[in-house]
Amino acid sequence: MSVRWGIAGPGRIAATVAAEFAHVPDAELVAVGSRSLERAREFAGRFGIPQAHGSYAELFASDVDAIYLATPHGQHTDLALAAIEAGKAVLVEKSFTTSVADTEAVIRAGRERGVFVMEAMWTRFLPAIVRLRQMVADGELGEIRAVYGDLLAFREFEPADRLFNPALGGGAVLDLGVYVISFAQQFLGTPSLVHAVGGLYPNGVEGEAGILLGWDDGRYSTQAIGFTAPGPGRQVVAGTKGWVEVKPRFHRGEQLSVHLLGREPEELTLARTGVGYCHELIHVGECLAAGLTESPVMPLDDTLAVQQVMAEVLSQLGR
């Protein structure tokens, strides 16, 4: 089947994803919607999209099969619920929403309506991360005991920018923390302990955080996130038989450094196609062709678990 896609929200990330459709078989980007018809038309002209809609309601009422929801975090809930009500499959940009209650509402709506819904955690679909998960599943690393790393990305503080605007879901946790928490959660599951320290900008939005996640059997994950300093952006997955480093920057990683006990280290390169967003788009198409309403790679229970951890981190930081 060929999936007819529409994009809601013609911003920066939408432009990156739109270009990725050149690498996605059995998919067509046929529509874009915005609150501004002028912006929708400009975006459509830039990417050769046949339909431009001046409202999200018009987009959801059009003849698309799936919606890529690329608006700021704070708008995700209402738009995702509207798209689900219209019977459209929805790929929701991360962070999924800005609260646990909103995430639960979107998940409940998708399940009750029988509509496919997935968080756009593109890192899970990169060839290098797929290989790493297979190594773990095959027992090559033994029992996974720790995941540790960082995602530090220096940004000048601009209160009006989406990254720092609380009304738009700004802050390091929803923008960067979602990556590191989701990365750890896919290998260790949902933690029983969350501890966070960090600092806030003058407008009350967090700029940085150190996060410790713990499990009852002693497994742990330590993560650093922040806009206040640069960092490598790497992850290490450590097990009883060895460890693997996902080389910087891990969230778009292509290189694995494999260190297994009793064997020589091995360097693996697994290139992503295009920028890398096409891999999750291909996966959504495969899920729809198979009649699935949830992804086995990025299930909604994982999305909810990560949202709950982020909520606890934000609470401990004073948000």
Side-chain angles (χ1 to χ4, degrees):
M1 61 179 289
S2 181
V3 180
R4 292 170 59 84
W5 282 85
I7 287 180
R12 286 175 293 185
I13 185 65
T16 302
V17 172
E20 291 285 282
F21 278 92
H23 307 293
V24 184
D26 300 323
E28 300 175 85
L29 179 55
V30 300
V32 59
S34 172
R35 292 175 297 183
S36 164
L37 181 57
E38 181 181 357
R39 287 192 67 210
R41 284 174 172 167
E42 186 280 328
F43 191 92
R46 196 175 1 147
F47 294 100
I49 301 171
Q51 300 178 30
H53 299 283
S55 75
Y56 298 124
E58 288 182 12
L59 172 64
F60 300 155
S62 69
D63 60 347
V64 299
D65 304 307
I67 299 290
Y68 167 59
L69 187 50
T71 59
H73 313 312
Q75 300 173 19
H76 287 177
T77 303
D78 290 344
L79 294 179
L81 290 174
I84 290 167
E85 180 61 26
K88 308 302 184 183
V90 190
L91 178 63
V92 183
E93 189 51 60
K94 65 210 149 354
S95 292
F96 196 73
T97 73
T98 58
S99 73
V100 172
D102 282 356
T103 292
E104 289 174 334
V106 174
I107 290 174
R108 183 168 55 251
R111 287 173 172 169
E112 290 177 353
R113 189 74 165 75
V115 171
F116 180 88
V117 181
M118 189 185 92
E119 181 182 11
M121 180 50 69
W122 66 298
T123 300
R124 290 200 181 192
F125 302 93
L126 299 178
I129 306 305
V130 173
R131 171 69 71 86
L132 175 54
R133 274 201 311 274
Q134 190 60 55
M135 292 175 65
V136 170
D138 290 344
E140 293 185 54
L141 301 182
E143 182 187 13
I144 303 305
R145 300 300 302 172
V147 176
Y148 53 91
D150 80 281
L151 190 54
L152 299 170
F154 179 77
R155 298 287 187 272
E156 292 286 352
F157 177 57
E158 294 287 347
D161 188 281
R162 178 193 68 79
L163 292 177
F164 308 102
N165 187 333
L168 298 178
V173 172
L174 292 180
D175 197 72
L176 302 174
V178 66
Y179 276 108
V180 299
I181 295 168
S182 184
F183 186 86
Q185 194 269 348
Q186 70 182 313
F187 295 109
L188 294 172
T190 303
S192 54
L193 176 146
V194 178
H195 184 66
V197 295
L200 305 179
Y201 288 112
N203 68 347
V205 170
E206 76 284 354
E208 60 199 348
I211 303 169
L212 170 64
L213 307 177
W215 283 258
D216 291 338
D217 61 359
R219 292 173 297 138
Y220 67 92
S221 177
T222 57
Q223 299 290 342
I225 60 171
F227 298 129
T228 57
R234 70 167 193 151
Q235 291 288 333
V236 172
V237 178
T240 54
K241 295 181 180 179
W243 56 274
V244 173
E245 177 189 5
V246 184
K247 292 194 170 182
R249 293 178 67 83
F250 84 89
H251 64 297
R252 52 176 182 259
E254 295 183 304
Q255 294 180 308
L256 304 177
S257 183
V258 182
H259 302 258
L260 301 179
L261 297 179
R263 292 169 54 176
E264 290 296 315
E266 184 179 9
E267 302 295 320
L268 302 178
T269 298
L270 296 102
R272 60 187 190 271
T273 302
V275 175
Y277 291 94
C278 62
H279 299 290
E280 68 178 354
L281 296 170
I282 292 170
H283 177 76
V284 172
E286 292 171 344
C287 288
L288 295 179
L292 302 180
T293 57
E294 294 190 30
S295 163
V297 178
M298 190 64 238
L300 292 173
D301 285 346
D302 282 14
T303 291
L304 178 58
V306 170
Q307 195 81 47
Q308 289 168 333
V309 172
M310 291 193 296
E312 181 59 28
V313 170
L314 288 169
S315 175
Q316 293 184 23
L317 294 177
R319 287 287 307 276

